[in-house]
Amino acid sequence: MLGDTIKRVGLDEARQLPFHRQPVFLLFLMAFAMPIAFSVWSALLNNFVIEAAGFTGVEIGWLHTVREIPGFFAIGVIFLIIFIREQVLGLISLVLLGVASGLTAYFPTFGGLLTLTLLSSIGFHYYETVNQSLQLQWLKKEEAPQALGWITAVGSFASLIAYGLLVVTWKSFDLSYEFVYMTSGGICVAVAIFCFFYYPQFEAPNPQIKKMILRKRYWLYYLLQFMSGARRQIFIVFAAFMMVERFGFEVHEVTALFLINYVANMIFAPLIGRAIGVYGERNMLIVEYVGLTLVFLAYGGIYYFGWGVIVGAVLYVANHLFFSMAFAIKTYFQKIADPQDIAPTAAVAFTINHIAAVFLPALLGYLWVVSPGGVFVLAAMMAATSLGLACLIPRDPCPGNETLFSRFVARPAE
């Protein structure tokens, strides 16, 4: 198995190491590396595809559909971890993400952008799948909400650095897309290679099942993942695109908006993690979905009532803040899961999360041409559906108490 030649260290032993050598610090570094490549790619994408490739809503919808295909096939991680250790697979995925995103500007055609987007997306989605699994295996249940909040804040800090530099230097130094994409991708690759050689292979106490599993008692978790993926796609694909297409935002203006988002996430993500620990996943997800329903309805109001750019920018930041509560879904699953189910279920959940993502951006790209406001009304309906699902989470989820219905029925056979 790839990675077996590197020293293995159990989690209990790893906690005796200096903090910068512990598993949680590796999670911090990985969380820092990924946004350096992905966030820069996202910040420049809408302007790049419009300026260099002449994209409309149709082409951007197809590009994001292709971007989500690897997420749909994230279940392939289950096969790969038979031969490659999860920690190693996560770092290899970061390298692929960095290389593919770094080359983006050198292929400003529809076919070239689809190809590189597919490759970078394989890296991104396989990294995210493995990363979620490692987080839930390496973090104790009682510390997971707070730690995940800090990990989210670290990712936001990385994005903040990248976006801040873009805002300050894009026009001042007349930077090119080629230079910025290559620099950000190269940093991601360098951090991943450093982590591979610097850290031992950390051993979780519960060996993971290396085959696909679908358990009936996880049904609510699966549905929450499905709705989260469908709803998030609308925001990722069309919210920033709206700021460029409708309000004429330039690269440094889009980046400044992203910058505000990540400053807010840096501040609030650790607080949200603490709140999840205090108030529980059910309450925090209810707050998230109520907020998202109102935000998406307000997005529709931009088109139906002619609200201006300030409203659009405020909604964009609010949307990000509500999305930052979504790691409550992770900690909900950690509480109800059998420990050996974490890796295969992370892969299955990522696939479920991307079922709608494979076809939704392309289909909504055509709806966007006819009725942009209708796209956001549909997103509001999805958020309202998620709200109903969140109300089914019990106050104290655990194996055997996965939903409000669990107390009334016998635990189903797996």
Side-chain angles (χ1 to χ4, degrees):
M1 179 180 289
L2 185 55
D4 280 348
T5 57
I6 299 176
K7 179 183 177 182
R8 301 186 192 182
V9 174
L11 290 185
D12 289 337
E13 181 183 354
R15 292 187 177 99
Q16 307 306 313
L17 296 173
F19 182 65
H20 66 277
R21 296 274 289 174
Q22 292 183 18
V24 68
F25 201 85
L26 174 56
L27 292 175
F28 287 155
L29 284 178
M30 293 166 69
F32 181 87
M34 187 277 289
I36 294 293
F38 181 72
S39 294
V40 169
W41 179 86
S42 300
L44 298 182
L45 180 67
N46 290 297
N47 292 85
F48 180 69
V49 298
I50 290 174
E51 295 172 15
F55 276 24
T56 67
V58 172
E59 287 83 12
I60 197 69
W62 277 108
L63 184 143
H64 282 283
T65 289
V66 168
R67 186 178 70 83
E68 296 302 339
I69 290 174
F72 181 73
F73 290 105
I75 199 168
V77 167
I78 299 173
F79 172 76
L80 290 176
I81 62 175
I82 297 175
F83 307 101
I84 308 174
R85 299 179 63 81
E86 283 186 85
Q87 185 175 329
V88 175
L89 178 57
L91 296 173
I92 291 174
S93 299
L94 278 179
V95 170
L96 178 58
L97 169 62
V99 170
S101 62
L103 295 174
T104 295
Y106 293 97
F107 297 88
T109 63
F110 184 61
L113 287 170
L114 290 188
T115 300
L116 283 172
T117 296
L118 180 65
L119 292 174
S120 65
S121 181
I122 292 172
F124 172 81
H125 285 99
Y126 276 44
Y127 161 75
E128 283 292 332
T129 302
V130 171
N131 185 49
Q132 177 173 304
S133 172
L134 293 178
Q135 288 172 354
L136 299 185
Q137 291 180 64
W138 290 354
L139 300 175
K140 296 179 179 179
K141 291 182 181 180
E142 59 272 17
E143 69 183 21
Q146 184 73 76
L148 289 174
W150 281 110
I151 290 170
T152 300
V154 168
S156 296
F157 179 64
S159 298
L160 177 65
I161 293 174
Y163 292 157
L165 289 174
L166 273 178
V167 169
V168 172
T169 63
W170 180 259
K171 280 200 166 182
S172 300
F173 293 93
D174 193 25
L175 298 181
S176 66
Y177 288 108
E178 291 83 357
F179 174 81
V180 175
Y181 274 130
M182 185 60 72
T183 301
S184 60
I187 293 173
C188 178
V189 170
V191 173
I193 292 174
F194 168 78
C195 290
F196 178 80
F197 289 104
Y198 186 69
Y199 286 92
Q201 292 294 309
F202 297 115
E203 292 280 352
N206 299 288
Q208 296 297 291
I209 297 174
K210 296 180 173 64
K211 63 180 181 180
M212 187 181 78
I213 58 170
L214 284 169
R215 301 207 187 278
K216 293 179 182 178
R217 64 189 186 88
Y218 298 159
W219 67 267
L220 181 56
Y221 172 68
Y222 297 146
L223 284 178
L224 286 168
Q225 286 285 1
F226 175 80
M227 295 306 303
S228 175
R231 185 183 62 252
R232 183 176 289 270
Q233 282 312 301
I234 297 177
F235 173 72
I236 290 175
V237 176
F238 295 108
F241 190 77
M242 175 193 70
M243 302 304 292
V244 176
E245 184 184 65
R246 183 173 179 85
F247 299 120
F249 270 38
E250 298 182 19
V251 166
H252 64 289
E253 293 170 322
V254 173
T255 306
L257 187 58
F258 287 2
L259 195 65
I260 295 170
N261 282 335
Y262 286 102
V263 169
N265 274 347
M266 277 184 58
I267 296 170
F268 288 104
L271 300 177
I272 290 170
R274 184 180 302 172
I276 291 172
V278 173
Y279 299 108
E281 289 78 9
R282 179 176 185 269
N283 290 331
M284 294 306 294
L285 288 174
I286 287 174
V287 170
E288 177 190 357
Y289 298 142
V290 168
L292 287 176
T293 301
L294 297 176
V295 166
F296 281 125
L297 287 174
Y299 267 130
I302 290 175
Y303 287 92
Y304 294 127
F305 304 114
W307 296 339
V309 63
I310 300 299
V311 173
V314 170
L315 291 174
Y316 194 87
V317 174
N319 211 331
H320 256 280
L321 285 178
F322 284 119
F323 274 144
S324 68
M325 298 179 183
F327 61 81
I329 298 177
K330 291 184 186 179
T331 57
Y332 162 64
F333 172 67
Q334 186 186 37
K335 290 180 178 179
I336 67 172
D338 292 332
Q340 68 271 20
D341 289 352
I342 289 175
T345 305
V348 170
F350 243 75
T351 294
I352 292 172
N353 186 276
H354 288 78
I355 290 174
V358 170
F359 63 85
L360 201 60
L363 290 180
L364 292 183
Y366 293 101
L367 176 59
W368 181 267
V369 174
V370 178
S371 175
V375 172
F376 293 119
V377 170
L378 180 62
M381 294 171 62
M382 292 177 181
T385 301
S386 297
L387 173 61
L389 293 173
C391 291
L392 299 179
I393 298 175
R395 294 189 182 277
D396 298 301
C398 62
N401 188 36
E402 296 85 5
T403 75
L404 291 180
F405 302 132
S406 298
R407 70 185 69 178
F408 303 115
V409 296
R411 180 169 171 168
E414 303 289 5

